[in-house]
């Protein structure tokens, strides 16, 4: 069975919400199209990996070439999510100078770069010139590079990645994210001049039957927050 809801049930309102998110990302920047995108949040388990995966699948569904990168070198999840081996991946590319394209796996029409083994120095690895080169090579080869990352409030990894990518999405979980943490996360990202495209609100409790009982995601324009 397909791993992601957007593949499993494309007609559900949740899948529709991810497609809206995709459209908003596509049209979020007129002058400089967004090709490399970091998905981050202030704290843990707010929905970063789920959001990043479904956005990647959503772009894949519209015929774009997409690579989904697990740059959460602290609590990686994508290998597990897609039933892939995590013996090698991004960390092997950075550490052992493996060819990045050899580490990309094809699963359900998607291209996924797992994290590889957890290194002792994730922030150092992600801030290396080599990481920047990896992102540039992927950008040259794919229409979209979607990067999953750790929470920005605890570690600098998310901010580091944001500084080398075209855009950043900040995931905020309804009823879970602490307001002060969300503000702190935004400040962290501002410090590195991240291009925050918007806030994705996850885990919204909704009323009604069927899928409406569950939660869906939405992208709110960041312009409102910038004022
Ligand atoms: N939009 C959503 N609505 C409801 N639940 C969600 C949503 N997105 C993710 N979840 C659920 O929240 C939990 C955490 O999701 P996920 O692993 O994507 O978060 P994360 O931010 O990547 O976590 P981590 O900090 O561990 O990397 C999972 O159980 C997932 O199914
Ligand atoms: Mg995650």
């Amino acid at each position: 069975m397909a791993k992601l809801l957007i593949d499993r049930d494309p007609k559900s309102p949740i899948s529709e919400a991810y497609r809206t998110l995709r459209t908003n990302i596509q049209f979020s920047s007129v002058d400089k199209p967004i090709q490399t995108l970091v998905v981050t949040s202030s704290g843990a388990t707010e929905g970063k990996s789920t959001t990043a995966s479904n956005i990647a699948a959503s772009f894949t569904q519209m015929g774009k070439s997409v690579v989904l990168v697990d740059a959460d070198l602290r609590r990686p999840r994508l290998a597990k999510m897609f039933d892939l081996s995590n013996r090698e991946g991004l960390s092997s590319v950075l550490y052992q100078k493996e060819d990045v394209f050899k580490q990309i796996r094809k699963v359900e029409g998607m291209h996924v770069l797992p994290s590889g083994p957890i290194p002792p120095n994730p922030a150092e690895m992600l801030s290396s010139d080599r990481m920047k080169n990896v992102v540039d090579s992927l950008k040259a080869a794919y229409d979209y590079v979607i990067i999953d990352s750790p929470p920005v409030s605890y570690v600098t990894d998310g901010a580091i990645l944001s500084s080398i990518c075209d855009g950043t999405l900040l995931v905020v979980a309804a009823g879970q994210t602490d307001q002060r943490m969300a503000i702190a996360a935004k400040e962290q990202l501002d410090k590195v001049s991240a291009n925050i495209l918007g806030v994705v609100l996850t885990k919204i409790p909704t009323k009604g039957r069927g899928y409406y009982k569950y939660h869906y995601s939405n992208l709110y324009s960041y312009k409102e927050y910038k004022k």
Side-chain angles (χ1 to χ4, degrees):
M1 202 206 279
K3 310 277 179 243
L4 299 174
L5 185 117
I6 196 162
D7 290 326
R8 215 165 46 235
D9 191 355
K11 287 191 179 143
S12 80
I14 305 171
S15 302
E16 186 52 40
Y18 282 121
R19 283 192 292 274
T20 305
L21 191 52
R22 175 187 74 192
T23 309
N24 288 351
I25 294 163
Q26 273 185 297
F27 296 110
S28 59
S29 175
V30 180
D31 296 330
K32 196 176 164 227
I34 304 299
Q35 251 190 289
T36 52
L37 179 74
V38 179
V39 180
T40 194
S41 72
S42 64
T45 69
E46 292 176 327
K48 297 175 290 297
S49 301
T50 308
T51 302
S53 308
N54 281 284
I55 291 171
S58 165
F59 276 119
T60 304
Q61 281 178 1
M62 71 182 292
K64 298 289 180 190
S65 64
V66 185
V67 62
L68 174 64
V69 179
D70 198 343
D72 187 341
L73 300 180
R74 295 169 193 268
R75 224 151 70 140
R77 193 160 121 85
L78 297 186
K80 204 165 188 184
M81 201 182 258
F82 291 97
D83 282 336
L84 299 169
S85 158
N86 207 24
R87 282 166 59 103
E88 290 187 310
L90 178 62
S91 62
S92 339
V93 173
L94 297 174
Y95 197 61
Q96 293 160 355
K97 303 201 176 10
E98 299 259 355
D99 179 354
V100 64
F101 295 102
K102 285 199 181 134
Q103 293 301 334
I104 293 172
R105 325 282 162 77
K106 292 184 186 110
V107 50
E108 294 177 16
M110 295 213 345
H111 290 205
V112 179
L113 175 62
S115 70
I118 295 174
N121 52 347
E124 199 183 313
M125 288 188 110
L126 295 174
S127 59
S128 64
D129 287 345
R130 178 126 183 96
M131 181 63 194
K132 198 176 175 313
N133 292 339
V134 165
V135 172
D136 288 344
S137 316
L138 295 175
K139 186 173 176 174
Y142 287 91
D143 295 327
Y144 290 96
V145 182
I146 312 292
I147 303 180
D148 188 16
S149 72
V152 277
S153 298
Y154 303 141
V155 288
T156 53
D157 309 18
I160 292 167
L161 291 165
S162 293
S163 71
I164 58 168
C165 288
D166 302 329
T168 299
L169 286 184
L170 187 59
V171 173
V172 171
Q176 177 181 336
T177 306
D178 183 280
Q179 194 182 342
R180 284 161 306 179
M181 293 269 283
I183 292 168
K186 181 206 166 276
E187 285 170 359
Q188 286 287 101
L189 293 169
D190 281 345
K191 268 189 207 157
V192 295
S193 306
N195 178 20
I196 304 177
L197 302 180
V199 172
V200 179
L201 192 55
T202 58
K203 308 194 182 185
I204 306 166
T206 51
K207 290 180 189 157
R209 298 175 71 84
Y211 282 110
Y212 287 103
K213 260 190 188 164
Y214 298 106
H215 317 285
Y216 62 93
S217 305
N218 236 324
L219 178 68
Y220 290 92
S221 168
Y222 192 67
K223 292 198 177 79
E224 292 304 310
Y225 295 79
K226 273 183 175 163
K227 280 179 191 165

